[in-house]
Amino acid sequence: MTGHRRRVTQQDIARISGVSQTTVSLVLNNRLDAGTRIAPETRERVLEAIAETGYVADPVARRMVARRNRIIGVFTYEAVFPSGTRDFYQPFLAGIEESAERLGCDLLLLTSAPVVAGRRRIFDDGNRFRLADGCILLGRETDAGELARLVAEDYPFVSVGRRDDAGGPVPYVGADYPGAVAALVAGARELGHRRLAYLGSGSRAESRADRRDGFTAALARTGATGTVLAGETQELIARLPELLADGVTALFVEEPADCQPLADRLAALGHPVPAGISVVALGDPTRPATADIDFTGFRIPRREMGRQAVEVLSALLAEESTTAQRLLACDGHRGASLAPPPG
Amino acid sequence: MTGHRRRVTQQDIARISGVSQTTVSLVLNNRLDAGTRIAPETRERVLEAIAETGYVADPVARRMVARRNRIIGVFTYEAVFPSGTRDFYQPFLAGIEESAERLGCDLLLLTSAPVVAGRRRIFDDGNRFRLADGCILLGRETDAGELARLVAEDYPFVSVGRRDDAGGPVPYVGADYPGAVAALVAGARELGHRRLAYLGSGSRAESRADRRDGFTAALARTGATGTVLAGETQELIARLPELLADGVTALFVEEPADCQPLADRLAALGHPVPAGISVVALGDPTRPATADIDFTGFRIPRREMGRQAVEVLSALLAEESTTAQRLLACDGHRGASLAPPPG
DNA sequence: TCAAGGTGCTAATTCGTATTAGCACTTGAC
DNA sequence: GTCAAGTGCTAATACGAATTAGCACCTTGA
């Protein structure tokens, strides 16, 4: 071992090629301004030294002076890789990675953010997210206070998933849940369903609320009647008899992972899916789930959301004008759990 | 928008409280060294100004001084997130993320590395692995030349998976494939198997070679006889009759994803697994695979490998002495595909 | 021969923080 | 009255790259 490891600096390159640090910087940045000219041979010598040493500018120093790193931070409120929700988040990340690769940016996973109360926090972090040019925010729940602070500080970021204003508009690339849910409600109406129910978590997270609101709005438009239940999986299951007694013929299930347990219970109650009752899955399961039934519902364009989130961020950083709040359409999925009401 | 808001700096705090920037820094870092003392009233005044302005130290400037980024690069020879091999790599990444989080480091995914000939390259124009303090290398195949260059440059890195010397010892956290394979060979011997076969890819990648070498070494020790075949899945399947004719009663399969197709063919040939012949899976499938049979074999401690790789890297960076070449034991998996030989 | 204008480079400074060396002043001892 | 020790603070500098201003050397042309 050589013992002392030191970062190669422009100063080193300068020494090797017999020029000043300024010249190295000029060559690196390929400045063609009038007033700054470098002789071709000098340029060659510098580039050679750079190639030999494999020199790369220190992003931290660069950031001190200029404004860009070509590093995009990815902040997730949960760990990225550990399983659990991984299957849900993976497509978002795939899209993010794809866009980043195309833009020639690296991704900084902000793993060092301390987990406080079961969740990572942005601002308790020594503000390490500031190393990135901007951030992508991923995760269903976002701390409203932190969001507001990001907005207030004019920090460039884009949320994957729609967010309510937080002291100002929040840039996001979300999914059009109201539209997707409305389409499903309309489909159920056409099949003859009149009494519908929404089975949700009661969460106030935008992604949840948007589904719920889309449901109630669609009810009014289609002239159907509906009930909205809120609770954990087990509570929802427990309240099925009550819904059945009420004459409900189609269930709109907020969390698709709940569909199978609900269907199992419904079958036990003498209402098999879809002959006895219809069940609709509003999106993709956010936790691992197996299903015997191919549930009708919609697919969240997760990969595309990730892709566009990076594009929006890139536009924000370049100060280009762009639509910074986007809702992407969800693909309807025609499965086998939505059928005409019995009788 | 507000246009551009200037950061509050220590200089601002200093001006407000009528002290020098140095004093602000000292108060912030609560230095208690002999030689640096701050009067309580002065400290109060400074803290007050900090509270008023909401000042937070710029992490970039902070790191500039520390000359360490607390960024760990993760270089993968393939894209990380897109599916395909994702299921294989995910546990490694989970371990890496876990250790990084514990150490307070962020992960830089080197997504900007250009893909040349279907594979990312470390040394190539524009690769920015030097942004990180050090790197974790992930991927079955590694370019020997690139590895040698990293070693020669004394760049801090750790390979996940054992690597042969490359002009010097390569730091790695690998799996003890020879040991794991030997244990399985011994188990087969105890059950009465005498003629064994190794079905492999013929790849020279260390992870593959180690299994193969472990097999032949174990043969010698246990007094069994064995054949080593090399080929793609289809070729291996085609040569099954020849092995059966040869009296082989146990197959050691390098790529676990091959086990099911092999078993299917064996059943068709009148040798169902395990009654007619035993099949052993040497590790975890590196490509998506479904299996009807629970194959006996071993599990690669992928998560732990990722975890320890980051730990080793951290030790290297801190110039602490540590075992920089580690082989972790694999857990044996007792499935249903290894039984006494027929007859 | 000397100014004008072009060419090729560098010194000095900037960014915000941490650290080192040391200055100016007080107190106390003799 | 002088020296030593102690106290409370600051000036200067480093970190690594980018940028601004400008210097020395060359050609030209009159």
Side-chain angles (χ1 to χ4, degrees):
Chain A
M1 293 283 157
T2 39
H4 225 60
R5 207 157 28 216
R6 238 208 43 205
R7 186 167 206 114
V8 182
T9 70
Q10 288 190 353
Q11 204 55 257
D12 298 323
I13 305 294
R15 205 166 329 114
I16 292 171
S17 43
V19 296
S20 70
Q21 176 260 321
T22 305
T23 304
V24 176
S25 174
L26 291 175
V27 168
L28 270 167
N29 295 286
N30 205 29
R31 302 299 303 262
L32 301 170
D33 314 27
T36 54
R37 296 152 295 240
I38 307 290
E41 315 87 68
T42 311
R43 176 182 299 276
E44 269 319 302
R45 247 182 315 135
V46 170
L47 288 175
E48 214 169 279
I50 287 171
E52 263 171 30
T53 53
Y55 165 86
V56 178
D58 181 342
V60 176
R62 202 173 243 249
R63 170 117 190 141
M64 274 293 286
V65 181
R67 228 137 264 283
R68 304 217 24 193
N69 261 340
R70 302 203 72 77
I71 291 179
I72 292 176
V74 178
F75 185 89
T76 55
Y77 280 92
E78 300 147 43
V80 182
F81 297 118
S83 20
T85 53
R86 144 177 85 99
D87 292 328
F88 182 69
Y89 287 118
Q90 189 271 332
F92 293 115
L93 291 166
I96 291 170
E97 186 182 16
E98 193 182 307
S99 274
E101 181 162 348
R102 209 167 30 71
L103 291 170
C105 290
D106 293 309
L107 293 179
L108 185 66
L109 296 185
L110 294 160
T111 41
S112 71
V115 177
V116 178
R119 186 156 97 175
R120 286 187 178 147
R121 302 195 56 90
I122 302 181
F123 283 99
D124 278 357
D125 187 14
N127 286 307
R128 291 166 55 81
F129 66 93
R130 280 181 214 278
L131 282 175
D133 294 332
C135 263
I136 300 291
L137 256 56
L138 200 56
R140 253 168 309 143
E141 311 257 353
T142 320
D143 186 290
E146 294 196 320
L147 218 50
R149 184 156 168 195
L150 288 175
V151 170
E153 290 190 9
D154 208 11
Y155 180 84
F157 77 101
V158 177
S159 160
V160 174
R162 192 187 76 75
R163 301 289 166 203
D164 293 327
D165 277 18
V170 174
Y172 61 76
V173 176
D176 180 15
Y177 294 127
V181 175
L184 287 169
V185 169
R189 279 298 281 134
E190 273 167 33
L191 286 174
H193 292 274
R194 319 196 99 253
R195 290 198 64 75
L196 318 178
Y198 182 94
L199 280 66
S201 58
S203 159
R204 279 196 286 179
E206 287 89 342
S207 59
R208 303 310 199 177
D210 285 359
R211 287 173 168 89
R212 203 164 52 229
D213 298 346
F215 177 78
T216 49
L219 279 185
R221 281 201 303 276
T222 60
T225 60
T227 319
V228 172
L229 292 190
E232 305 279 314
T233 310
Q234 288 311 316
E235 298 172 53
L236 295 174
I237 289 176
R239 297 182 62 183
L240 286 175
E242 152 191 346
L243 292 175
L244 292 169
D246 205 32
V248 168
T249 58
L251 305 182
F252 288 70
V253 182
E254 190 181 270
E255 169 56 61
D258 286 345
C259 284
Q260 190 63 50
L262 285 166
D264 290 345
R265 182 71 187 133
L266 286 166
L269 291 169
H271 293 257
V273 175
I277 190 167
S278 289
V279 169
V280 171
L282 305 182
D284 299 282
T286 63
R287 42 171 215 267
T290 51
D292 303 334
I293 302 171
D294 176 21
F295 289 99
T296 293
F298 61 83
R299 303 270 186 259
I300 305 167
R302 292 177 281 184
R303 190 171 182 132
E304 186 60 26
M305 285 167 75
R307 232 183 327 235
Q308 291 202 27
V310 173
E311 275 170 20
V312 171
L313 181 58
S314 169
L316 289 181
L317 291 171
E319 316 222 324
E320 291 164 8
S321 70
T322 189
T323 313
Q325 298 193 325
R326 305 183 181 180
L327 280 187
L328 308 186
C330 298
D331 270 342
H333 172 68
R334 186 175 298 274
S337 66
L338 177 61
Chain B
M1 284 295 151
T2 40
H4 237 63
R5 183 195 289 241
R6 215 179 61 84
R7 260 197 97 81
V8 181
T9 70
Q10 290 189 353
Q11 204 55 257
D12 298 324
I13 305 294
R15 207 166 338 153
I16 292 171
S17 42
V19 296
S20 71
Q21 176 263 319
T22 305
T23 303
V24 176
S25 174
L26 291 174
V27 168
L28 271 166
N29 295 286
N30 205 28
R31 299 300 304 263
L32 301 170
D33 315 27
T36 54
R37 296 152 296 240
I38 307 289
E41 314 88 69
T42 310
R43 175 182 301 274
E44 269 319 305
R45 245 181 317 134
V46 170
L47 288 175
E48 213 168 281
I50 288 171
E52 263 171 30
T53 55
Y55 165 85
V56 182
D58 182 346
V60 176
R62 217 170 231 256
R63 285 208 215 186
M64 179 96 198
V65 178
R67 275 194 301 173
R68 195 132 285 168
N69 282 334
R70 301 203 73 78
I71 291 179
I72 293 177
V74 177
F75 186 87
T76 55
Y77 280 91
E78 302 146 44
V80 182
F81 298 118
S83 22
T85 52
R86 144 176 86 97
D87 291 331
F88 183 68
Y89 287 117
Q90 188 271 333
F92 292 115
L93 291 166
I96 291 170
E97 186 182 12
E98 193 182 308
S99 275
E101 178 163 346
R102 209 166 31 71
L103 292 168
C105 290
D106 293 312
L107 293 178
L108 184 68
L109 298 186
L110 294 159
T111 39
S112 71
V115 176
V116 177
R119 187 157 95 177
R120 287 189 178 145
R121 301 196 60 87
I122 301 182
F123 291 99
D124 213 293
D125 287 344
N127 194 328
R128 310 194 305 148
F129 68 94
R130 281 176 218 276
L131 302 190
D133 293 334
C135 262
I136 300 290
L137 258 53
L138 199 56
R140 252 170 309 144
E141 311 258 353
T142 321
D143 186 290
E146 294 195 318
L147 219 51
R149 185 157 168 194
L150 288 175
V151 171
E153 291 189 8
D154 205 15
Y155 180 83
F157 77 101
V158 177
S159 161
V160 173
R162 193 188 72 78
R163 301 290 167 201
D164 292 329
D165 277 17
V170 174
Y172 62 75
V173 176
D176 180 14
Y177 293 126
V181 175
L184 287 170
V185 169
R189 280 296 282 131
E190 273 169 32
L191 287 174
H193 293 274
R194 319 195 99 256
R195 290 198 64 73
L196 318 178
Y198 181 93
L199 280 65
S201 58
S203 158
R204 279 195 287 179
E206 287 89 343
S207 58
R208 303 311 199 173
D210 285 358
R211 287 174 169 88
R212 204 164 52 232
D213 298 346
F215 177 77
T216 49
L219 279 186
R221 281 202 303 275
T222 59
T225 61
T227 318
V228 172
L229 292 190
E232 304 280 314
T233 310
Q234 288 311 314
E235 299 172 54
L236 296 174
I237 289 176
R239 298 183 62 182
L240 286 175
E242 156 190 340
L243 291 174
L244 292 169
D246 205 31
V248 167
T249 58
L251 305 183
F252 288 71
V253 182
E254 190 181 272
E255 170 55 62
D258 286 345
C259 284
Q260 190 63 49
L262 285 165
D264 291 343
R265 182 70 187 133
L266 286 166
L269 290 168
H271 293 259
V273 176
I277 190 169
S278 289
V279 168
V280 171
L282 305 182
D284 299 283
T286 63
R287 39 174 217 268
T290 51
D292 303 335
I293 302 170
D294 176 23
F295 290 99
T296 293
F298 61 83
R299 303 268 186 259
I300 306 167
R302 291 178 282 185
R303 190 173 182 129
E304 186 60 26
M305 285 168 74
R307 230 180 331 231
Q308 291 202 25
V310 173
E311 275 170 20
V312 171
L313 181 58
S314 167
L316 290 180
L317 290 171
E319 317 222 322
E320 290 164 7
S321 71
T322 189
T323 312
Q325 298 192 323
R326 306 183 180 179
L327 280 187
L328 308 186
C330 298
D331 269 343
H333 172 67
R334 185 174 301 271
S337 65
L338 177 61

